[in-house]
Each structure stands twice: as C-alpha cells, then as structure tokens.
C-alpha cells in the first residue's frame, strides 16, 4: 500500500493546494465530548433521519423534520418503548411524516435498541464513543445486527452524523483504496473487504496522526470531487 502522503499530495493538486484542502476539512471534525453527552433521544433522532434519507430526497425529509419530531414524541426512547400498537398504526397515515411503514416500525425497534444500550452502558452516546476506533467494522456489524435498517451506508453516515470519528466507504474512497494497492472485490462490501478497509485506515492513522474523518475525506478528494462524501 502506498504512503498516505502521496494521496494527500494528489488531493492538494486537485483542490488547489495545501491551504485550499485544509479549508475544505475545517468543518469536518469528530466531537468526542458532544457524543458522550448526547441524549438518547438525539441519538435515536439521528438514526431515524439517516434511515429515512435512504431512498428519499434529503431536503424533503429535512423540510418535514419538525413533523417527525412531533409525531415520534421527540424520539424519547422510554416513551416509544411502551407506546401501544395503535400508536404505531396511526403513524402510517400521519401526514406530518413520510408514511413508509417499514421505516416507521424501524423507529420502534431502534428505540428498544437504544434503551438496551443505555441500560448496559449508561447512555447510547457513551457506548458509541467508547467503542474502539480501530474496529469500526465491528461497530457497523453490531448496528446491522442489533439495530434495524442500520446496515451498509446508513450505519456509516449515522456514526458520522453523531460525531464519532469514522470513515465512510463511498465510491471515491473505495477507488482511492484500490489505487493505493488495497485488494477489494468489485462491490467493496464483503467481510474481507471491510477488514481490508479497516486495516488501511488504521495504518494511515498510524502514519499520519489524522482522524478517520479527514483521512476519509482526503481520500475522496484525491479521486473525484464530483462524488458526494
């Protein structure tokens, strides 16, 4: 695998120099203290937002978000955990939200998941902050198995959204990894792929001292700035 310095230099060339690249990174940082203190209802709210983003235009979800907050009782896991079946059935015809039955019911399942984490670790935020950074793929696997509709890219964007230092394996990042010499399948999503991606980011973090967020974004900038990240 090539040195990350070569990738950084390529990103700088594409973005107009070192200062220009640094400016692009300024607004993308992990927030350890914010994550540890984040209330469980905000964790569940972000989970839900990411789930509803999948397959929908994000600005439509954002425009309706105040209605989501009201319809889902402020995303309080304790309240939602004891809400009766009629409560959830009514949401399937509630015009304040996107009336997708499977995604609505994911909120019910994830409220129970958040409650379990809070009982086990004090809060969901503490759990997500304490999970070892060098095992993001393990955390994503847990989200996929214990959460509902949190697999794949949804889980990755969720972790980034709550402020955890994490990489996102976008098309650009996968292309960068391949160009750096990391052997990946055509999909880049197999279990072996995930292990290879994790090892690459662990190695790059050790080499540079950079956060996963910045490593991930620099990787994307080095390949094709037209792709979202």
């Amino acid at each position: 695998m090539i040195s990350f310095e070569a990738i950084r230099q390529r990103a700088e060339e594409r973005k107009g120099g070192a200062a220009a690249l640094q400016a692009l990174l300024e607004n993308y940082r992990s927030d350890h203290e914010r994550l540890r203190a984040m209330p469980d209802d905000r964790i569940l709210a972000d989970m839900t937002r990411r789930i509803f983003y999948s397959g929908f235009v994000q600005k439509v979800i954002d425009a309706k978000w105040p209605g989501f907050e009201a319809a889902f009782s402020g995303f309080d896991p304790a309240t939602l955990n004891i809400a009766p079946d009629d409560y959830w059935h009514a949401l399937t015809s509630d015009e304040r939200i996107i009336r997708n039955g499977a995604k609505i019911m994911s909120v019910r399942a994830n409220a129970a998941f958040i409650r379990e984490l809070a009982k086990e670790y004090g809060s969901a935020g503490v759990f997500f902050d304490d999970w070892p950074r060098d095992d993001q793929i393990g955390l994503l696997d847990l989200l996929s198995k214990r959460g509902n509709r949190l697999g794949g890219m949804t889980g990755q964007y969720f972790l980034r959204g709550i402020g955890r230092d994490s990489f996102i394996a976008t098309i650009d990042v996968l292309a960068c990894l391949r160009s750096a010499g990391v052997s990946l399948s055509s999909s880049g999503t197999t279990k072996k792929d995930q292990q290879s991606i994790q090892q690459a980011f662990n190695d790059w973090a050790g080499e540079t001292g950079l956060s996963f967020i910045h490593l991930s974004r620099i990787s994307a900038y080095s390949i094709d700035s037209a792709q979202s990240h």
Side-chain angles (χ1 to χ4, degrees):
M1 190 169 68
I2 68 172
S3 167
F4 194 78
E5 183 58 30
I7 296 170
R8 185 206 292 267
Q9 289 178 5
R10 190 168 63 202
E12 289 175 355
E13 291 171 1
R14 292 179 62 83
K15 294 301 179 181
L21 177 62
Q22 187 59 39
L24 289 172
L25 299 174
E26 285 300 317
N27 292 328
Y28 297 95
R29 299 181 182 278
S30 58
D31 195 335
H32 166 78
E33 292 184 1
R34 172 176 169 268
L35 176 54
R36 291 192 75 80
M38 187 176 290
D40 290 337
D41 63 281
R42 293 304 89 201
I43 300 270
L44 180 59
D46 200 271
M47 276 185 178
T48 303
R49 190 188 290 262
R50 302 296 163 177
I51 289 167
F52 273 87
Y53 275 168
S54 179
F56 291 97
V57 177
Q58 292 188 10
K59 65 181 181 181
V60 173
I61 305 301
D62 291 341
K64 295 179 75 72
W65 197 251
F68 274 78
E69 290 281 352
F72 286 105
S73 304
F75 293 101
D76 176 49
T79 298
L80 296 175
N81 213 36
I82 60 173
D85 291 344
D86 288 349
Y87 174 95
W88 299 99
H89 178 72
L91 286 172
T92 62
S93 58
D94 193 325
E95 295 184 355
R96 294 174 295 178
I97 63 175
I98 300 295
R99 289 162 288 175
N100 180 297
K103 294 189 176 187
I104 288 170
M105 294 310 295
S106 77
V107 182
R108 187 179 201 177
N110 287 328
F113 173 40
I114 292 293
R115 289 283 286 171
E116 291 169 3
L117 292 180
K119 289 179 180 178
E120 292 174 38
Y121 300 94
S123 76
V126 168
F127 166 78
F128 285 116
D129 187 60
D130 280 348
W131 190 278
R133 188 179 73 149
D134 62 2
D135 185 32
Q136 179 176 319
I137 61 167
L139 181 53
L140 291 171
D141 185 57
L142 180 143
L143 284 173
S144 178
K145 290 178 178 177
R146 292 185 61 181
N148 188 280
R149 303 181 75 91
L150 291 171
M153 298 301 288
T154 300
Q156 294 179 53
Y157 278 110
F158 160 68
L159 293 178
R160 179 71 63 82
I162 60 175
R164 179 181 163 83
D165 185 22
S166 55
F167 57 79
I168 299 179
T170 62
I171 293 172
D172 285 348
V173 170
L174 293 177
C176 176
L177 287 161
R178 291 187 179 102
S179 74
V182 179
S183 179
L184 299 174
S185 71
S186 58
S187 69
T189 60
T190 69
K191 187 172 183 179
K192 183 179 179 181
D193 290 335
Q194 298 306 300
Q195 293 170 343
S196 297
I197 292 167
Q198 181 74 69
Q199 189 59 57
F201 274 93
N202 290 348
D203 290 346
W204 283 341
E207 174 192 340
T208 66
L210 293 173
S211 67
F212 280 176
I213 293 176
H214 284 179
L215 291 168
S216 182
R217 295 195 68 84
I218 293 170
S219 298
Y221 292 145
S222 75
I223 294 292
D224 184 358
S225 60
Q227 292 288 344
S228 62
H229 181 61

